[in-house]
Amino acid sequence: MTLTTTDRYARSKELFAAAQAVIPGGVNSPVRAFRGVGGTPIFFASGSGAHVEDVDGNRYIDYVLSWGPLLLGHAHPAVIQAITEQAARGTSFGAPTALETELAELVIKLVPSIEQVRFVNSGTEATMSALRLARAHTGREKIVKFIGCYHGHADMLLVQAGSGVATLGLPDSPGVPASTAAATLTVEYNDLEAVTELFRVHGDSIAAVIVEPIAANMGFVLPEPGFLQGLRDLTRNHGTVLIMDEVMTGFRAAPGGAQSVWGIDPDLTCLGKVIGGGLPVGAYAGKKEIMQKVAPAGPMYQAGTLSGNPLAMAAGLAMLHTAFDSIDGAPTPFQRAAGRAQTLADGMRSLSEETGVPLQVGNVGTMFGFYFLKDAGAKVRSYAEAKQRVDADRFTRFFWAMCERGVYLAPSQFEAGFVSSAHDTVDIAVTLTAARESLLAARG
Ligand code: KE4
């Protein structure tokens, strides 16, 4: 008996109905609700390596990887062992441990622009704290963010944001005071002229510019040549703090983050995801002169009961050491994952030609993304262009066709994809076979 699509997700449907009774929208983070692709969100039961299994027993090759953290894939032995051993010694002390220093030292070694690190519990906390620090350091109030970029859900950043805000098509969020939003200036990504004009008018009152070095919360948009360096020059000339939000790109675009790919030296960097090995973590980090203003070294207050907790530190250390340490000169797991991402992206580019379905495919390190374009040859370099030029309906048909062929992608055209060191050549080949069939099915 062949299962119909509705049977395929019967248990997910049951669980979703139960969840909606007790959790707003049935999920604990909006993008998980599948509003971008319709249908019932898939509930997962387990993961191992590159694969996940949903509650109906369907297996998938996973390219969401918890939205980036799982650089080594699900339940990597080194990470599980680190968490298990630490848990047996205690999960949290509310006091310093050597693990926090060890992970901070490793982050500093990997990312040259960073001189000091403060650990927090999420990317949102990291960006929120970095902006408070920039305001404390400069004594200024205005901040600049880019339309379609997402930096977590702090009030001042829920202004023309990406990710779930873009997926749900929310103009912004109610509950954010107009006075707060007024201090957040927004401009299209890759529009250096517009940023230059902002600085001409507001330059000496701008505390910080916060930017995703790869705009991966509006899909996958690379910085145009000179864009990031232009931001560096403008902010340096006006005494403004440049914050690179590498919560997603950190240790995914390159071992030194996306900033190392484009050779940018930011004042502050926000991190998350990978550095917690799949456990709750975030960090803001950067130049010592600025970080020294953070309490108790300085007056800017920020705190957290579970900040730097031993489990996340142990998991992060295991993940980063495993990912970047080469054994006997063999490629590192990071390099393996980046190679697989390149093969996948090149395969998608070839399939776009072969099937005549226009795609804009991007990949850097272990991250990738693709847009279904309405017109061949169109370019997506900003959120405005993403909204105008992308065929979200065709993406939706592709998404579900891939699910049915055992490949799980981010359930939104405004998200990126991730590859782990557990994805092997067979996974990539199976994915591309499924993609060929799904592109043809999605042509409509
Ligand atoms: P968290 O608070 O979700 O840990 O991090 C917020 C954040 C900050 N900066 C960047 C560049 C981010 O990508 C994120 C979070 N990313 C989304 C996925 N696009 C998390 C998924 C979700 O919201 O459920």
Side-chain angles (χ1 to χ4, degrees):
M1 178 188 76
T2 50
L3 287 181
T4 62
T5 301
T6 47
D7 297 340
R8 186 181 162 83
Y9 305 112
R11 182 66 181 137
S12 278
K13 277 178 175 289
E14 285 169 14
L15 290 175
F16 188 47
Q20 284 177 295
V22 293
I23 298 170
V27 293
N28 284 302
S29 198
V31 280
R32 304 175 189 174
F34 275 34
R35 294 289 172 88
V37 292
T40 300
I42 298 173
F43 280 58
F44 288 102
S46 64
S48 174
H51 307 114
V52 283
E53 186 166 320
D54 72 16
V55 293
D56 288 282
N58 304 305
R59 284 172 53 80
Y60 306 84
I61 302 168
D62 182 14
Y63 290 101
V64 178
L65 296 171
S66 185
W67 301 98
L70 305 180
L71 182 57
L72 303 175
H74 291 273
H76 188 280
V79 175
I80 299 304
Q81 183 184 347
I83 294 172
T84 307
E85 289 176 358
Q86 180 53 48
R89 289 197 292 269
T91 56
S92 179
F93 307 103
T97 67
L99 289 167
E100 294 147 80
T101 308
E102 206 180 323
L103 185 55
E105 288 171 342
L106 181 54
V107 167
I108 290 165
K109 180 179 162 208
L110 288 166
V111 187
S113 73
I114 293 176
E115 296 170 345
Q116 284 207 327
V117 184
R118 167 60 64 87
F119 292 109
V120 292
N121 292 293
S122 69
T124 293
E125 265 194 276
T127 57
M128 175 177 75
S129 308
L131 285 162
R132 182 184 306 142
L133 176 57
R135 285 171 161 162
H137 177 66
T138 61
R140 303 174 182 177
E141 284 199 7
K142 287 187 177 62
I143 63 172
V144 174
K145 76 173 286 289
F146 294 89
I147 296 168
C149 282
Y150 178 72
H151 305 286
H153 62 85
D155 276 359
M156 62 191 135
L157 290 164
L158 280 182
V159 181
Q160 296 191 286
S163 186
V165 180
T167 297
L168 277 68
L170 300 175
D172 283 311
S173 172
V176 175
S179 56
T180 302
T184 300
L185 308 177
T186 59
V187 64
E188 285 293 350
Y189 194 77
N190 275 322
D191 190 344
L192 190 57
E193 272 178 39
V195 185
T196 305
E197 177 59 14
L198 268 186
F199 270 91
R200 191 185 64 75
V201 175
H202 303 283
D204 298 339
S205 60
I206 298 176
V209 170
I210 185 166
V211 65
E212 291 182 61
I214 299 170
N217 282 292
M218 57 175 91
F220 195 89
V221 176
L222 295 180
E224 292 287 288
F227 174 62
L228 296 177
Q229 188 56 49
L231 295 181
R232 177 63 289 180
D233 296 342
L234 272 170
T235 49
R236 191 156 274 148
N237 294 341
H238 287 273
T240 296
V241 174
L242 177 62
I243 303 173
M244 284 261 161
D245 180 352
E246 297 230 41
V247 166
M248 194 193 292
T249 54
F251 310 114
R252 273 244 171 237
Q259 59 190 265
S260 70
V261 176
W262 280 278
I264 307 297
D265 181 28
D267 300 303
L268 297 177
T269 297
C270 297
L271 298 168
K273 298 179 190 270
V274 169
I275 61 169
L279 296 191
V281 75
Y284 59 107
K287 303 306 182 193
K288 187 171 181 178
E289 181 212 354
I290 302 175
M291 292 300 291
Q292 279 297 298
K293 292 202 169 55
V294 178
M300 189 220 91
Y301 197 72
Q302 174 270 314
T305 303
L306 292 169
S307 293
N309 75 82
L311 289 188
M313 298 295 103
L317 280 163
M319 181 164 281
L320 292 179
H321 278 306
T322 304
F324 299 123
D325 289 354
S326 172
I327 299 170
D328 303 332
T332 64
F334 176 90
Q335 289 165 332
R336 266 207 321 277
R340 304 277 191 269
Q342 188 66 54
T343 304
L344 177 66
D346 290 343
M348 289 301 289
R349 293 181 180 102
S350 304
L351 287 174
S352 175
E353 292 292 318
E354 183 188 324
T355 61
V357 176
L359 297 177
Q360 176 177 304
V361 183
N363 67 289
V364 177
T366 66
M367 303 172 64
F368 68 93
F370 46 80
Y371 285 114
F372 280 73
L373 301 171
K374 289 174 183 168
D375 305 306
K379 289 270 181 286
V380 177
R381 292 156 303 195
S382 69
Y383 185 52
E385 291 179 351
K387 283 190 296 184
Q388 289 156 7
R389 300 176 176 176
V390 163
D391 184 342
D393 291 340
R394 184 171 272 182
F395 169 77
T396 295
R397 294 195 294 272
F398 178 76
F399 171 82
W400 284 111
M402 290 291 268
C403 280
E404 277 140 40
R405 290 168 175 80
V407 178
Y408 183 62
L409 300 169
S412 164
Q413 179 66 115
F414 300 116
E415 295 289 354
F418 306 93
V419 179
S420 81
S421 55
H423 286 72
D424 62 22
T425 52
V426 173
D427 292 319
I428 303 302
V430 167
T431 302
L432 290 172
T433 300
R436 173 182 290 105
E437 295 168 5
S438 301
L439 283 170
L440 294 172
R443 273 192 307 197

